Amino acid sequence: MGTPADQEATIGAGLIVGVAFVAIAFFQRVYDSHRLFNGMWQARKVVFVWMMSLAILALIAFLLKSTTSLSRGTTIVFAITGLVSLGAHRAAWRIGLASSLAKGHLIDRRVVLLSLKPLDFTSNRFKDLRKNGFDVVRHFVLNATQDDAALDAEILNIIRQSRMTNAEEFLLAIDWNELPMLQKLSQRLRQVPQPIRLLPDFPIADLVSRPFMPVSGTMAIEIQRPPLSIFERAQKRCLDIGLASIALLMLAPLLIISAILIKLDSEGSIIFRAVPSRLQRKAFRDLEVSQHERCGERPHRYPSDQAGQAGD
């Protein structure tokens, strides 16, 4: 169990890492409900935030001159077990949320869906609405070819029927070629107190998800991003080093066993070292095919063949 001082240091380190992880993950939007279902995105973010939290712990321990109370082996074990636990926790959250949403336990937003054509609710665009907490109580298909007076009357009728369903939001399913109708619908729906969200197709979603900057009353959308900044390169380097270190630690037992087998099987060095051809050309010249090789036996092609069966 260790002394009380060691236990306090361990608990303090765990609290520091926990607070740092939750704070960084919150600002990285790791806890958004729609992102919890994205396994690859969660894996990348969890590894990055975990490495940042460990770096903060190391910095605090260095500033407080308490690195002696945190042994190297304990820190490595803590880093590996913590990362594995976070992965298992995210997987459990994903399974639990999917099961709860499938049973209707976490569906808390009653929405009215408006579109300009019949929709295929089995497509990727609409099949995950319930998974993300949207309960479509009514679906109205508007006629885009009618005049403004008929459109106003149809919108008023939709608003009247939506009030009877106690809808909390309006969703507009608009495609790229239907964008001119978006402004008309948004102007006519201003009288409703509920929020109105756009559910675009892929071209619009890809466009609005890109970074932009205001320019002279309009905006410039980024089509191709610039090279990585210094901070982004440092972030990528820390992530690469962290993942490589964890992989090396996990493969260390296998590497040690392989080295022992090679040493027991051969008298030479465990690590093969080749002599450059420009320094010793004779060691690398082609050998004539011997009688043993023609019979199917494997000849020794080099004078010092030190690699044994375990190292082949």
Side-chain angles (χ1 to χ4, degrees):
M1 295 296 292
T3 63
D6 294 337
Q7 295 178 6
E8 292 178 359
T10 304
I11 294 174
L15 290 175
I16 291 173
V17 173
V19 172
F21 182 88
V22 172
I24 299 174
F26 176 78
F27 287 107
Q28 292 286 324
R29 306 183 67 87
V30 176
Y31 298 111
D32 290 354
S33 59
H34 65 283
R35 297 186 185 275
L36 290 175
F37 294 100
N38 192 339
M40 292 302 298
W41 188 90
Q42 281 285 325
R44 292 195 301 267
K45 284 296 182 180
V46 165
V47 171
F48 167 71
V49 175
W50 183 243
M51 294 303 169
M52 292 293 294
S53 304
L54 293 178
I56 293 174
L57 173 63
L59 178 62
I60 293 176
F62 175 77
L63 294 176
L64 297 179
K65 299 180 179 180
S66 59
T67 54
T68 56
S69 60
L70 298 175
S71 64
R72 187 177 304 173
T74 303
T75 305
I76 293 175
V77 172
F78 174 71
I80 296 176
T81 55
L83 187 60
V84 173
S85 300
L86 286 172
H89 176 261
R90 285 298 184 276
W93 262 109
R94 184 179 181 182
I95 296 174
L97 283 176
S99 176
S100 298
L101 289 172
K103 297 177 181 178
H105 294 165
L106 299 179
I107 299 177
D108 54 355
R109 285 178 286 186
R110 298 168 57 87
V111 299
V112 172
L113 183 61
L114 304 181
S115 65
L116 302 179
K117 60 183 179 181
L119 302 178
D120 180 14
F121 284 92
T122 61
S123 62
N124 294 331
R125 184 180 174 188
F126 302 105
K127 69 178 182 180
D128 291 336
L129 286 176
R130 285 184 65 87
K131 179 187 287 187
N132 291 279
F134 291 103
D135 182 17
V136 180
V137 293
R138 291 295 300 272
H139 174 214
F140 297 97
V141 179
L142 301 174
N143 185 7
T145 60
Q146 58 188 339
D147 55 11
D148 292 343
L151 181 62
D152 291 338
E154 188 175 8
I155 293 294
L156 290 176
N157 183 38
I158 291 174
I159 294 174
R160 190 179 303 110
Q161 296 186 45
S162 300
R163 289 172 179 169
M164 301 174 59
T165 62
N166 295 324
E168 301 176 55
E169 295 184 18
F170 282 84
L171 286 180
L172 303 181
I174 302 295
D175 294 341
W176 178 269
N177 57 350
E178 300 169 345
L179 280 178
M181 285 292 298
L182 178 60
Q183 186 175 5
K184 294 182 179 181
L185 292 177
S186 60
Q187 290 177 351
R188 288 166 171 79
L189 291 173
R190 286 180 179 177
Q191 54 184 308
V192 299
Q194 293 90 347
I196 302 173
R197 302 181 188 273
L198 177 64
L199 194 65
D201 59 352
F202 178 76
I204 303 178
D206 178 66
L207 190 64
V208 299
S209 63
R210 296 177 178 271
F212 66 91
M213 59 180 300
V215 177
S216 302
T218 180
M219 63 179 64
I221 301 176
E222 182 181 278
I223 302 300
Q224 179 175 329
R225 61 159 298 158
L228 296 177
S229 63
I230 296 178
F231 175 75
E232 290 173 335
R233 290 199 298 268
Q235 175 182 345
K236 183 178 181 298
R237 177 62 62 183
C238 292
L239 182 61
D240 293 341
I241 293 175
L243 290 176
S245 301
I246 294 174
L248 183 61
L249 290 173
M250 296 178 66
L251 293 175
L254 180 60
L255 296 176
I256 293 174
I257 294 173
S258 300
I260 294 174
L261 292 176
I262 293 174
K263 191 64 177 178
L264 293 175
D265 183 70
S266 174
E267 297 179 356
S269 176
I270 296 175
I271 301 176
F272 174 74
R273 297 178 181 178
V275 180
S277 59
R278 65 177 181 272
L279 298 179
Q280 192 177 1
R281 297 179 182 274
K282 293 182 180 181
F284 292 94
R285 69 176 183 268
D286 294 334
L287 300 178
E288 296 180 357
V289 180
S290 63
Q291 184 66 27
H292 297 286
E293 188 174 6
R294 286 196 296 268
C295 295
E297 298 180 2
R298 178 184 175 187
H300 294 289
R301 300 185 64 88
Y302 301 104
S304 57
D305 190 1
Q306 298 178 343
Q309 295 178 358
D312 290 346

